[in-house]
Amino acid sequence: MYHHLLLLLSPIEAIIAGLVTLAFVFYFLWNFRKSSKTLPPEIPGGWPVIGHLFYFKNDGDHDRTLAQKLGDLADKHGPVFTYKLGFRRFLVVSSYEAIKECFTTNDIRFSNRPALLYGDHLCYNNAMLFIAKYGPYWRKIRKLVNQEVLSVNRLEKFKCIRFSIVQKNVKELYDHCDSTINLTDWIDKLSFDIILKMIAGKSYNNGHGEILKIAFQKFMVIAMEFELYDIFPIPLFKWVDFSGNIKVVKETFKDIDTVFQGWLDEHIKKRERNETLDENEEDFIDSMLSKTSNEHLGDTHSPNTTIKATIFSLVLDATETLALHIKWVMALLINNKLEMKKAQKEIDTIVGKDRWVEESDIKNLVYLQAIVKEALRLYPPAPLSVPHESVEDCVVNGYHIPKGTVLLPNVMKLQRDPKIWSDPDKFDPERFLTTHAKIDYRGQHYEFIPFGTGRRACPAMTYALQVEYLSIAHLIQGFNFNTPSNESLDMKEGVGITSPKKNPIEVLITPRLSTTLYQY
């Protein structure tokens, strides 16, 4: 009878019907094996087989981010709950206690990343550091990155480069004092200039910065989308592209890979010509070529793929997440003039107006540090962190968590928990000088984890804050800011796995220092 029914359908309809039927079979087999142990509460509104696939898309509230919507659900169902997308179960945690349990007692159990289709097509078959499976390959690449880019000695060697690039960009900003400035674009260019110099010896203008910027913006949206295979991980579904997203993913990857392959070819040719560089002149690609020729990284990926995937991880993290957070800090300060004046007064008192802030000054600028912490609290770079996946059954908050569950730590909800933070939605840097003065950003205080925590925390947090402190200090030391309309900037958030500011920061600036300090 089923065969006769298919004959009445068009070819596409027949395919869809067959896929849905197959999904039903797997669904019931999967549920038959489900444990009888106590599971976390599941939000209502799920459908058989597809679960909550349309729950968030069809809720009619497009102005709130997924982290905010999950935060609303936590208010109703508690700080530990689940929802389903097809075969995948998602565990959302937002309380101090639950998050601490996930990343201490259960840290090794949640050390994996879920395998999603965009990782195959866009992330060099999951070779990128931040989505790679937990295991020998991940450990070796993280060790290389920590040694060759993010170690204390390596960051110290690049200190002069960071300072000179910030200086150059600030002085270019001065040339546009008579017109409205798009500070968003300026921050993007600055963050690209610094990391591209460290990674490949390039700059935004001569290093394909604009191509990468557009591709990365697509990446952040793509990474939020689920394909059929992602929710029904049946091998046949890898080849289904009803939405056309996979085609976009492949085109985006081609744009990114063309740039990275070009950089890699340049460095390989340089080595073939036996051009030797001083150790201080070596960029990350130079170091990686030396290391991958001397070290066995396993058979998971080729050396060239490993290098390009690691470049992708570093440049993406250092531009998208770092740049967006500098934007949030500046938007908060432009809207909160009292806090801006306090920060400027601190710099004027400690540094003066006869020279620019240097990295060695930052340790004395305690109010600036409090501002950055407070902005990280309100607008963490990854409001839902990067998803983790349980590699074995475990217990969280007394609930049984099956193997394969995807963990979403709601960092934004945690960092606005009124049980921990008084007046949690208020921008109040003073809290990090008084009641929360001892809390830092390194993931050891589980009420404040803007860079994640546990073994898969962001390895670039020290670099990110070095650039952020120096950039923001130069901006507020060098200029006063006003909006063209003299009204506050809107603080709407955009779409993506990070928390982008939806609209650009357009401002008028006036210099605060002597003209000679802005000269090249």
Side-chain angles (χ1 to χ4, degrees):
M1 181 177 177
Y2 177 66
H3 173 73
H4 291 298
L5 178 60
L6 289 182
L7 293 177
L8 300 176
L9 303 175
S10 69
I12 294 295
E13 289 172 332
I15 292 171
I16 294 173
L19 293 177
V20 170
T21 301
L22 187 60
F24 264 100
V25 172
F26 275 92
Y27 173 78
F28 286 115
L29 289 174
W30 178 67
N31 274 276
F32 181 75
R33 299 169 56 197
K34 188 168 61 177
S35 171
S36 60
K37 296 178 181 178
T38 304
L39 298 173
E42 182 179 313
I43 64 172
W47 288 32
V49 183
I50 65 172
H52 299 84
L53 184 59
F54 302 112
Y55 183 89
F56 299 103
K57 286 191 175 183
N58 297 336
D59 62 2
D61 190 354
H62 303 296
D63 292 330
R64 292 179 68 73
T65 65
L66 180 58
Q68 291 169 333
K69 293 176 181 180
L70 293 176
D72 295 340
L73 289 169
D75 291 335
K76 295 179 181 178
H77 304 289
V80 179
F81 65 87
T82 63
Y83 66 92
K84 294 178 184 175
L85 298 181
F87 295 170
R88 288 193 186 271
R89 184 192 307 275
F90 290 78
L91 172 69
V92 183
V93 295
S94 56
S95 68
Y96 170 90
E97 295 79 11
I99 285 179
K100 183 177 181 180
E101 189 174 7
C102 287
F103 293 107
T104 53
T105 307
N106 293 313
D107 188 37
I108 186 65
R109 297 182 181 94
F110 283 116
S111 58
N112 224 355
R113 298 292 193 212
L116 301 174
L117 204 53
Y118 83 87
D120 291 353
H121 295 305
L122 186 53
C123 303
Y124 293 94
N125 197 23
N126 297 294
M128 286 178 67
L129 179 63
F130 77 92
I131 66 167
K133 290 286 185 182
Y134 182 74
Y137 171 80
W138 175 83
R139 285 191 289 270
K140 288 180 179 180
I141 297 305
R142 184 173 173 113
K143 180 181 178 182
L144 276 176
V145 168
N146 284 336
Q147 290 176 342
E148 303 304 323
V149 181
L150 303 174
S151 68
V152 173
N153 290 338
R154 196 69 173 173
L155 290 175
E156 181 67 20
K157 288 176 182 176
F158 278 101
K159 181 170 70 174
C160 292
I161 290 175
R162 289 193 296 274
F163 183 80
S164 65
I165 291 174
V166 171
Q167 284 268 288
K168 174 178 175 290
N169 280 272
V170 166
K171 291 172 180 178
E172 288 176 356
L173 199 59
Y174 174 78
D175 294 337
H176 297 86
C177 281
D178 295 331
S179 58
T180 300
I181 293 168
N182 187 323
L183 196 61
T184 296
D185 289 344
W186 182 89
I187 293 169
D188 286 336
K189 179 180 179 298
L190 172 68
S191 60
F192 267 106
D193 274 342
I194 295 174
I195 194 62
L196 294 188
K197 184 67 175 178
M198 292 177 63
I199 297 298
K202 302 292 183 180
S203 70
Y204 182 85
N205 290 330
N206 69 16
H208 304 96
E210 191 65 26
I211 295 172
L212 292 178
K213 177 182 174 180
I214 294 170
F216 288 178
Q217 288 171 346
K218 290 180 182 177
F219 175 94
M220 290 301 176
V221 176
I222 289 168
M224 286 287 289
E225 298 291 334
F226 284 91
E227 299 304 318
L228 186 62
Y229 174 77
D230 295 331
I231 58 176
F232 298 113
I234 301 167
L236 173 65
F237 291 179
K238 273 195 173 186
W239 312 107
V240 178
D241 187 20
F242 290 132
S243 66
N245 286 340
I246 296 175
K247 180 181 178 182
V248 175
V249 166
K250 291 179 177 179
E251 290 171 350
T252 303
F253 171 76
K254 184 178 179 181
D255 292 339
I256 293 170
D257 184 64
T258 298
V259 174
F260 294 160
Q261 186 63 53
W263 294 349
L264 184 56
D265 290 342
E266 287 181 20
H267 283 71
I268 291 172
K269 288 177 182 178
K270 182 172 61 178
R271 288 170 63 87
E272 290 173 348
R273 294 193 298 266
N274 293 320
E275 293 181 14
T276 57
L277 291 174
D278 181 85
E279 184 181 354
N280 293 328
E281 295 178 334
E282 278 195 347
D283 55 47
F284 176 70
I285 298 178
D286 292 318
S287 298
M288 280 290 281
L289 284 169
S290 298
K291 292 290 183 180
T292 53
S293 63
N294 297 327
E295 293 191 17
H296 178 65
L297 298 176
D299 299 325
T300 309
H301 305 283
S302 70
N304 282 4
T305 295
T306 298
I307 293 172
K308 290 188 290 183
T310 308
I311 293 170
F312 193 179
S313 293
L314 292 170
V315 177
L316 180 70
D317 192 37
T319 53
E320 282 296 309
T321 54
L322 172 59
L324 76 84
H325 197 257
I326 296 175
K327 296 168 195 174
W328 282 120
V329 174
M330 291 307 300
L332 285 164
L333 287 175
I334 290 166
N335 281 356
N336 294 270
K337 298 189 182 301
L338 178 61
E339 285 73 15
M340 171 77 87
K341 290 185 181 300
K342 284 184 180 180
Q344 289 174 327
K345 183 178 179 181
E346 179 183 61
I347 293 174
D348 292 346
T349 301
I350 293 173
V351 177
K353 291 189 172 185
D354 297 325
R355 67 174 178 87
W356 288 101
V357 173
E358 298 178 6
E359 284 190 6
S360 59
D361 297 312
I362 300 299
K363 63 181 181 296
N364 299 318
L365 300 176
V366 293
Y367 191 68
L368 174 65
Q369 294 177 47
I371 286 171
V372 171
K373 282 185 178 180
E374 178 68 342
L376 282 168
R377 184 188 70 82
L378 288 171
Y379 299 98
L384 287 174
S385 187
V386 180
H388 297 247
E389 184 179 67
S390 58
V391 296
E392 59 184 61
D393 291 5
C394 61
V395 176
V396 173
N397 210 45
Y399 297 114
H400 175 71
I401 309 300
K403 176 183 176 180
T405 299
V406 178
L407 172 65
L408 295 178
N410 194 338
V411 178
M412 179 171 284
K413 180 66 173 175
L414 168 75
Q415 295 182 175
R416 296 191 184 211
D417 187 344
K419 295 177 182 177
I420 301 171
W421 311 93
S422 61
D423 204 356
D425 295 328
K426 181 183 178 183
F427 176 62
D428 180 17
E430 298 285 345
R431 72 174 85 238
F432 283 102
L433 301 175
T434 54
T435 55
H436 295 83
K438 295 183 179 180
I439 293 178
D440 68 25
Y441 57 86
R442 296 185 182 277
Q444 301 305 308
H445 298 93
Y446 297 96
E447 62 269 60
F448 183 61
I449 52 170
F451 296 104
T453 184
R455 68 194 64 216
R456 304 233 30 176
C458 175
M461 59 183 80
T462 299
Y463 165 81
L465 286 176
Q466 285 178 339
V467 174
E468 189 164 344
Y469 286 139
L470 189 65
S471 304
I472 294 166
H474 269 71
L475 283 170
I476 63 178
Q477 181 189 25
F479 304 100
N480 288 316
F481 297 83
N482 284 294
T483 60
S485 63
N486 287 322
E487 296 181 357
S488 295
L489 295 166
D490 76 84
M491 302 296 278
K492 292 179 182 177
E493 296 177 51
V495 177
I497 59 173
T498 55
S499 56
K501 191 176 178 303
K502 185 174 183 179
N503 296 312
I505 303 172
E506 295 185 337
V507 289
L508 297 168
I509 60 173
T510 53
R512 298 183 70 247
L513 306 176
S514 168
T515 304
T516 56
L517 287 177
Y518 300 96
Q519 294 174 355
Y520 293 96

